[in-house]
Amino acid sequence: MGGVLARSAGASPTLQASPTADSVQVRALGADSVTTRPGTTVTLRFRLTNASDTEQTVALSLDLPNRWRALTRADSVTLGPGERRLQLASVAVPAGISSGPRRLRLRAQPGGAATVTAWVPVVQRARLQVQGMPRRSAAGRPYDATVVVANDGNAPVRYTLSATADPPASVSLRDPADSLAPGAQKRVRLTIETESVERTREQEVTVRSRLTPWDTTLTARATVELVPFGVSSGILTGPSYPGTLRLSAFGSRTSQTGQVSFEGSSDLGTDGRQSLDLLLRAPNQSGRRFGRRSTYRATYTTPSWTVRAGDHTFSRTRLAEPGTFGLGGEVQYEKSGWRVGGYGLRRRFGNSVWQGAVYGGAQLHPRVQALANIVYNEGGVREGIMKVG
C-alpha cells in the first residue's frame, strides 16, 4: 500500500465522530494523522459499533474528494446486539494533485459518520532525458536530438536548460526556459554543430536543467560517434567497412592450393539503425584437413526488416522445428510482437532439393506464442502447420 501513517508536525487532521439518534456509531482508528503522496494508495481503519440490544443493518458510503477513487466496496453490514466490527477503506490518491488537506468520510445510514483529514505534502519530482540522439554522425555536419523535461511532482516549477559538448561544439536549444504545471512535460530541440575530425571519436553531450523554486539541477548525458567524411562526386564517404581478410594455404607433396575469406560487420548511415554483415569464403576446401566449406552470405537489418541472401539456416518462427541450411534468400518483417516473412532455398548438402515457405507468428502473451506456416518442397510435398505454445 502506498499510504504512510505518521504524526504530522504542526498540522493535525480533523477526526470526529457524529453520533445520531441511531444506535450504530462510526469511529476512525489509527494514528492522529494520515499522510499520503500523489499516485499512491492509503488505507483507513474504522470501527463500527452497535450500541443497542437489537440487530442493526446499515448502508455504508464513502465520501471522497474529486478524482479520489475507492478501491474497496462499502456495502451494507449487519451488526448483532453490542457487536463491534473493523471496517477497512482503501483509497487511490490521484497522481499530480496539489498539496494540502483532503477530507475523507465514512457514513453509516442510518447511523453515525467519521471524518479523517488526509494531508498531501508538496512533492518535488522531475525528469530530464535526451532522446533521439544518433549513434553515429558525420563530423562537420550538425545533428539533432530532443530534450524531454517533465514535472512528475504536484507543484509548478520553472526550468532553464543549458547544454555543452565534449569535444567542444556549438550547442543550441530551442525555447530553453519555460514553466511546467504538475504532470506536464516539454520537448525541446537540441542541435549540435560539429567540427571536422581526422579519425573516429566519441562526443559526449551534457544537458542540465535548473529548476526553480526547487533549487535543484538535473543532468542528462548522451554520446555519439563522430566519423570523418569527405565529398567526392557528391557522395558522402564515411569510415572504411570493418572486416577481416584471411588467406589460407594447403599443400602436400603432390598438390598445393589455398582459400580466401572475408568477414565483416558494420552499421550503415549515421544513425546506426541499419547494419550489414558479410561472409565470403572460397573455394570449397572441406576435403582438406584444415580447410573449410565455401560460404557466401549477407544479412541486411533495420529495426523492422531483415533481408538475408546466400548460405543461411532458414527457419520460420521461434516455435518452428530447427531450420534448414541452404543457399537462398529470405525477407522478414517484425514489429510489436509479431512477424511475417518467406524464403526460398536449395539445400547445399545432402539431397539437393528446393524448398519454399511463408510464415507468420505473434507473441500473444509473455508465455504464449502462435505461428502459422506453409511449406512447399520439391517433388510436390506440401505441409501447413498451426502451433500455439
Side-chain angles (χ1 to χ4, degrees):
M1 292 182 291
V4 178
L5 298 179
R7 182 176 295 274
S8 175
S12 299
T14 303
L15 180 62
Q16 61 188 31
S18 303
T20 67
D22 300 287
S23 299
V24 176
Q25 301 173 357
V26 183
R27 179 177 174 227
L29 301 177
D32 293 339
S33 68
V34 176
T35 302
T36 187
R37 297 173 68 86
T40 61
T41 300
V42 62
T43 298
L44 306 176
R45 296 188 301 155
F46 298 91
R47 177 181 292 162
L48 308 179
T49 302
N50 181 5
S52 71
D53 56 0
T54 61
E55 184 179 88
Q56 300 286 335
T57 298
V58 294
L60 301 178
S61 62
L62 195 59
D63 298 337
L64 300 175
N66 186 34
R67 295 175 56 203
W68 292 56
R69 182 167 54 90
L71 300 178
T72 53
R73 296 182 58 182
D75 296 325
S76 62
V77 297
T78 300
L79 302 175
E83 181 182 354
R84 296 193 302 176
R85 181 177 300 180
L86 176 67
Q87 182 70 34
L88 300 180
S90 294
V91 178
V93 184
I97 61 172
S98 60
S99 60
R102 304 292 195 281
R103 300 185 67 179
L104 315 177
R105 174 177 294 179
L106 180 69
R107 295 179 180 272
Q109 296 177 335
T115 301
V116 173
T117 301
W119 289 88
V120 179
V122 174
V123 178
Q124 299 178 354
R125 184 186 301 126
R127 288 180 289 115
L128 180 67
Q129 296 175 314
V130 179
Q131 299 179 351
M133 180 74 76
R135 290 174 52 190
R136 306 176 74 197
S137 181
R141 293 190 172 185
Y143 62 90
D144 297 325
T146 300
V147 177
V148 179
V149 55
N151 181 3
D152 295 331
N154 64 351
V157 65
R158 182 171 179 81
Y159 68 85
T160 302
L161 297 174
S162 62
T164 58
D166 183 26
S170 175
V171 182
S172 60
L173 290 156
R174 180 179 296 178
D175 301 327
D178 203 349
S179 297
L180 286 175
Q185 71 174 25
K186 290 290 181 65
R187 301 174 67 87
V188 179
R189 183 177 178 180
L190 171 70
T191 302
I192 298 93
E193 300 280 350
T194 63
E195 301 290 338
S196 299
V197 297
E198 295 182 356
R199 51 185 171 81
T200 301
R201 65 182 305 180
E202 277 194 349
Q203 183 174 65
E204 182 180 71
V205 178
T206 302
V207 180
R208 292 181 174 86
S209 177
R210 182 66 178 173
L211 305 177
T212 55
W214 296 355
D215 193 25
T216 302
T217 299
L218 302 179
T219 302
R221 293 181 172 86
T223 58
V224 62
E225 185 180 32
L226 298 180
V227 297
F229 78 98
V231 177
S232 175
S233 302
I235 300 176
L236 176 67
T237 61
S240 57
Y241 186 87
T244 302
L245 180 65
R246 182 177 291 108
L247 303 176
S248 304
F250 312 97
S252 65
R253 293 181 179 180
T254 59
S255 64
Q256 295 79 36
T257 186
Q259 190 175 55
V260 179
S261 66
F262 175 81
E263 184 173 4
S265 177
S266 178
D267 293 334
L268 303 179
T270 60
D271 58 3
R273 294 171 60 84
Q274 306 171 59
S275 65
L276 177 66
D277 298 304
L278 288 174
L279 174 58
L280 306 174
R281 184 168 54 232
N284 185 22
Q285 297 290 352
S286 59
R288 296 280 183 170
R289 177 175 297 180
F290 300 104
R292 305 178 69 180
R293 288 174 175 171
S294 60
T295 304
Y296 316 95
R297 69 166 176 252
T299 303
Y300 171 74
T301 59
T302 72
S304 299
W305 290 93
T306 299
V307 180
R308 301 194 296 171
D311 294 313
H312 286 280
T313 299
F314 296 90
S315 61
R316 278 151 265 178
T317 67
R318 297 181 180 90
L319 293 180
E321 59 275 8
T324 304
F325 182 79
L327 177 64
E330 178 182 22
V331 177
Q332 177 180 282
Y333 181 81
E334 181 173 4
K335 192 171 186 179
S336 302
W338 59 271
R339 64 176 177 173
V340 294
Y343 68 81
L345 65 90
R346 175 180 287 276
R347 296 179 182 175
R348 288 194 63 192
F349 307 101
N351 296 329
S352 180
V353 296
W354 285 97
Q355 184 184 84
V358 292
Y359 56 80
Q363 184 87 29
L364 305 179
H365 183 271
R367 294 187 178 182
V368 179
Q369 293 180 334
L371 76 88
N373 62 63
I374 300 175
V375 181
Y376 175 81
N377 294 296
E378 188 177 15
V381 179
R382 300 175 179 84
E383 61 174 319
I385 298 176
M386 176 69 184
K387 290 186 179 181
V388 178

